[in-house]
């Protein structure tokens, strides 16, 4: 799949250096690639959200990453629903 990139690459697409700074947060939950993100489930997603909040990110960066996560997960759910029809 063309969108299966590392979480560090995805984060760098949101902001320069974000991958190196924040990629570990995702990798600690078993998400080293973007395709793995939609498989983490609601419980681990809540842990991810908490880890983002507890990190050294400033508020603007945190909001940007959360919004991008929401958009990506919504797109993945829509694609899965469309494929099921």
């Amino acid at each position: 799949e063309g969108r299966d990139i590392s979480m560090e690459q995805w984060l760098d697409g949101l902001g320069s250096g974000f991958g190196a700074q924040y990629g570990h947060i995702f990798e600690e939950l078993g998400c080293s690639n973007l395709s793995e993100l939609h498989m983490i489930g609601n419980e681990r997603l809540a842990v991810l959200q908490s880890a983002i909040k507890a990190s050294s990110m400033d508020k603007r960066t945190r909001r940007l990453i959360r919004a991008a996560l929401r958009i990506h997960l919504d797109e993945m759910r829509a694609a899965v629903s469309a494929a099921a029809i």
Side-chain angles (χ1 to χ4, degrees):
E1 176 178 303
R3 297 193 65 186
D4 192 16
I5 59 174
S6 73
M7 289 309 300
E8 284 194 5
Q9 289 173 307
W10 183 76
L11 288 164
D12 281 340
L14 300 176
S16 180
F18 284 6
Q21 288 179 286
Y22 310 121
H24 67 92
I25 295 170
F26 294 84
E27 289 175 12
E28 288 169 6
L29 287 171
C31 293
S32 56
N33 293 311
L34 193 58
S35 64
E36 297 167 337
L37 190 58
H38 73 281
M39 294 185 273
I40 68 169
N42 289 335
E43 185 176 314
R44 284 175 50 205
L45 183 59
V47 172
L48 176 61
Q49 295 284 8
S50 294
I52 289 170
K53 186 174 184 178
S55 75
S56 61
M57 284 181 214
D58 61 54
K59 192 174 190 176
R60 187 182 72 74
T61 301
R62 202 167 45 238
R63 284 182 175 168
L64 175 68
I65 291 174
R66 283 183 174 161
L69 275 171
R70 229 178 348 265
I71 290 167
H72 176 74
L73 291 172
D74 287 348
E75 287 174 354
M76 290 302 297
R77 288 183 187 121
V80 168
S81 295
I85 294 176

